[in-house]
Amino acid sequence: MLTLVILSIFLLISTQSSSSQSEAPQTICIIGSGIAGSSVSHFLRRYSAAPYHPQIRIFERHATVGGRMATVTISGETFEAGASILHPKNYHAVEFTKLLNLTSDKDDSSSSFSLGIWDGNKFVFKTLDSNSKLPFVQKIVSIWNSVVMFFRYGLSLFRMSNFVEVTVNSFLKYYESIESRPIFETVEDMLKWAGLYNLTTRTLQEELVDAGLSPLLIQELVTDIMARSSKPSLFLHLKHIQWKPYVITRINYGQNVSMSGLAGAVSLAGSGGDLWSVKGGNWQMAAGLINRSDVILHLHEEIESITFLGESYELNSTKEKSYLCDVTVVATPLDELNIRFSPEISIPERKLQHTYATFVRGLLNHAYFGLDAASDIPELVGTMEDPGLPFTCISVLKEHNEKDMTYKIFSRHPMTDDLLDDLFSIRSETIRINWGAYPHYHAPETFAPFMLDSRHLYYVNAFENAASTMETSAVAAENIARLILSRFFGGGLIRPTTSSNMSHKEL
């Protein structure tokens, strides 16, 4: 009898221990807290339901979340310093903004915003400018500039619009229902399914020539668009020919028409007053998604090594801590990181395009541009493709008064104080940022794998070789989340569930 009692107690303890182990949540570790990493955590929670509620850890080497979404403060005013522009058809970003109760800050700049293309000696093209705030005057100026643009570039403007529209329509397939949309294991398969892969095999120059664009438009306008360098929006939607959508709101890759056709089409995308950003900074999307996703957040903790132990991954950090993870997701570019992988991984070599963003409060020197007054300088100065030019574009972020403005300068090399002193007659505050912003594109592109091993080591940023935007990062992250749920949990997608409201005060 005593033997039976002891055996029953042993079996009960053993059963409880086994049940406790089986119910222990799996751990998913995400490296990077930008839009890619935060979106992975969001979609994991959105697409899974009990009993699939893994523990999620996010590691961020910096003191704040957001990655390449960041702001800069000059004289108490905040401006976007990294990924800047969103489009109404960036549907994930639109959803995130609504979900997080954020406020969109729409581009309501005047349609008479002035543009000049600078060749280093003179402006080869300038639009008409008007200081009048009267709407009918601005409308007349806008119509005049549209006429000037049409006479200069002709039907090539329509052909460029059509080229981008076709690309947009293909990209919209990624928003189809999850029932009709496959889960992709490679970037190539993801692009081929949407009909976008061939654009990565040819240069933008080749695509535009085949589309019937004139050499003048390619040389002046498209090259100038390529030369500007901020995080791109994704879509061009043009119902009327006007000069502004082609240059003023163009977000680019700091490269020329030798880049791949798909990345080039993305860099051409944009649309007048429909463009928007998140009021207070786009980084709030990442912060909000992390807040809602029941995440254990490790700020200022860089991962130094990832070792596969047979069933799980051991992550070692700069804080001399180790973490066991069933699934590991790399959601930051590996190109300039020194993470040690064991066993080693194999990805194509890729160089990041560095963009130097310089923010200046002061007043441009009109003599530098050979003009009579600072008011004659266009509000956006773009440049021709010339390695000898010290900057790629200068734009007015805010006019405080006629002798006090905040400017944003993009360049491929750091702007020295001597150069800035030549450019500006007044300079009261200067902030410099060096962004490893996006890949240096070429054609044909080669892609890193989404799955870095045969188990559960994933790489969201493999998709950046197709195009690098906030929205494409979210699209790739959504696919990675579905891939994890399908491969690791074995049950494919689970019905969407409400995300946790757990918050992080440090965000």
Side-chain angles (χ1 to χ4, degrees):
M1 182 68 177
L2 179 61
T3 302
L4 288 174
V5 171
I6 293 173
L7 181 60
S8 297
I9 293 173
F10 174 79
L11 289 173
L12 178 62
I13 294 173
S14 176
T15 301
Q16 289 176 340
S17 175
S18 175
S19 174
S20 175
Q21 290 178 4
S22 64
E23 292 176 1
Q26 292 85 0
T27 298
I28 298 176
C29 294
I30 301 172
I31 302 171
S33 71
I35 193 64
S38 59
S39 294
V40 170
S41 67
H42 165 73
F43 286 115
L44 283 170
R45 293 296 188 222
R46 175 178 174 180
Y47 290 147
S48 62
Y52 303 116
H53 191 82
Q55 180 185 83
I56 299 177
R57 294 180 181 271
I58 291 183
F59 297 89
E60 172 54 56
R61 59 182 173 145
H62 299 297
T64 57
V65 303
R68 286 167 284 179
M69 298 184 298
T71 56
V72 64
T73 301
I74 300 179
S75 302
E77 296 193 67
T78 300
F79 303 96
E80 291 286 357
S84 303
I85 300 297
L86 293 159
H87 189 278
K89 289 185 179 178
N90 289 164
Y91 292 138
H92 286 320
V94 170
E95 177 193 7
F96 297 161
T97 303
K98 292 179 179 178
L99 179 70
L100 302 171
N101 294 318
L102 299 173
T103 303
S104 62
D105 192 4
K106 293 190 176 181
D107 174 21
D108 57 356
S109 58
S110 168
S111 59
S112 61
F113 195 94
S114 57
L115 159 73
I117 300 178
W118 175 253
D119 70 357
N121 297 304
K122 63 183 183 304
F123 284 102
V124 298
F125 178 77
K126 279 181 67 178
T127 58
L128 182 65
D129 188 19
S130 172
N131 294 323
S132 173
K133 303 299 182 183
L134 297 175
F136 80 92
V137 174
Q138 294 178 357
K139 184 65 174 177
I140 292 172
V141 170
S142 177
I143 292 173
W144 174 257
N145 285 328
S146 297
V147 172
V148 171
M149 289 287 284
F150 181 77
F151 272 98
R152 188 170 184 85
Y153 301 116
L155 294 176
S156 289
L157 292 172
F158 292 96
R159 293 171 184 144
M160 184 167 72
S161 173
N162 184 65
F163 167 70
V164 179
E165 290 281 357
V166 170
T167 305
V168 169
N169 290 335
S170 296
F171 191 89
L172 292 178
K173 288 175 64 69
Y174 294 129
Y175 302 112
E176 292 181 3
S177 67
I178 57 177
E179 291 80 13
S180 62
R181 184 160 39 89
I183 300 172
F184 305 100
E185 295 190 354
T186 70
V187 178
E188 291 89 340
D189 286 345
M190 192 168 176
L191 293 170
K192 289 175 181 177
W193 179 80
L196 295 170
Y197 178 76
N198 287 343
L199 284 171
T200 70
T201 66
R202 306 178 74 223
T203 67
L204 178 62
Q205 171 89 33
E206 292 170 329
E207 292 291 341
L208 295 180
V209 169
D210 284 356
L213 273 68
S214 70
L216 182 64
L217 185 141
I218 294 173
Q219 178 186 5
E220 289 187 355
L221 208 53
V222 175
T223 300
D224 177 53
I225 290 165
M226 297 303 109
R228 296 189 61 199
S229 42
S230 178
K231 195 76 166 180
S233 170
L234 188 56
F235 302 127
L236 170 68
H237 181 62
L238 193 61
K239 295 181 179 178
H240 304 286
I241 287 298
Q242 44 185 321
W243 62 272
K244 180 181 174 183
Y246 286 106
V247 176
I248 298 303
T249 59
R250 197 68 59 241
I251 314 301
N252 51 40
Y253 289 119
Q255 297 166 45
N256 57 37
V257 290
S258 65
M259 71 194 306
S260 63
L262 179 56
V266 169
S267 68
L268 291 173
S271 170
D274 290 335
L275 291 177
W276 62 283
S277 59
V278 176
K279 189 173 183 178
N282 293 327
W283 65 271
Q284 294 173 102
M285 288 191 291
L289 293 177
I290 291 171
N291 272 339
R292 291 183 58 88
S293 298
D294 192 11
V295 165
I296 300 172
L297 180 63
H298 301 262
L299 286 175
H300 219 275
E301 187 165 3
E302 184 171 1
I303 297 301
E304 293 183 309
S305 66
I306 301 173
T307 303
F308 182 56
L309 302 178
E311 293 295 331
S312 61
Y313 298 88
E314 181 183 70
L315 275 59
N316 293 291
S317 79
T318 51
K319 292 188 176 180
E320 298 183 351
K321 294 182 179 180
S322 295
Y323 304 90
L324 288 179
C325 310
D326 298 286
V327 176
T328 298
V329 180
V330 179
T332 185
L334 286 170
D335 312 276
E336 296 182 355
L337 296 180
N338 294 312
I339 299 177
R340 300 186 304 276
F341 290 88
S342 180
E344 292 184 355
I345 62 170
S346 177
I347 60 175
E349 183 179 357
R350 184 175 75 176
K351 293 183 179 181
L352 290 185
Q353 176 82 22
H354 275 257
T355 291
Y356 295 86
T358 305
F359 298 83
V360 176
R361 181 158 182 175
L363 187 67
L364 280 172
N365 181 8
H366 60 86
Y368 182 93
F369 297 98
L371 299 174
D372 296 329
S375 59
D376 295 332
I377 302 173
E379 291 158 290
L380 170 63
V381 178
T383 57
M384 303 286 286
E385 177 60 28
D386 183 345
L389 294 177
F391 61 88
T392 52
C393 89
I394 303 175
S395 58
V396 176
L397 293 179
K398 183 172 182 178
E399 180 179 349
H400 306 282
N401 59 57
E402 61 181 13
K403 292 187 178 181
D404 182 15
M405 305 188 191
T406 299
Y407 300 88
K408 186 177 188 178
I409 307 169
F410 286 129
S411 60
R412 293 173 179 170
H413 304 284
M415 300 288 288
T416 65
D417 282 331
D418 287 344
L419 176 58
L420 290 173
D421 287 341
D422 287 340
L423 269 173
F424 288 87
S425 58
I426 301 172
R427 184 162 63 96
S428 61
E429 186 172 357
T430 304
I431 296 177
R432 297 175 174 90
I433 300 176
N434 175 11
W435 289 110
Y438 20 69
H440 185 81
Y441 293 102
H442 62 276
E445 290 287 358
T446 55
F447 298 95
F450 277 143
M451 298 185 295
L452 295 175
D453 64 6
S454 60
R455 300 285 294 181
H456 300 290
L457 179 60
Y458 300 91
Y459 187 29
V460 184
N461 299 73
F463 197 82
E464 280 200 71
N465 264 47
S468 178
T469 74
M470 289 178 279
E471 188 69 12
T472 52
S473 293
V475 166
E478 193 258 3
N479 180 70
I480 292 293
R482 296 173 66 205
L483 190 58
I484 292 169
L485 292 172
S486 175
R487 296 185 72 249
F488 185 76
F489 294 103
L493 294 182
I494 315 300
R495 62 179 177 82
T497 185
T498 303
S499 299
S500 170
N501 288 320
M502 178 181 178
S503 64
H504 296 278
K505 292 182 181 179
E506 64 268 35
L507 295 181

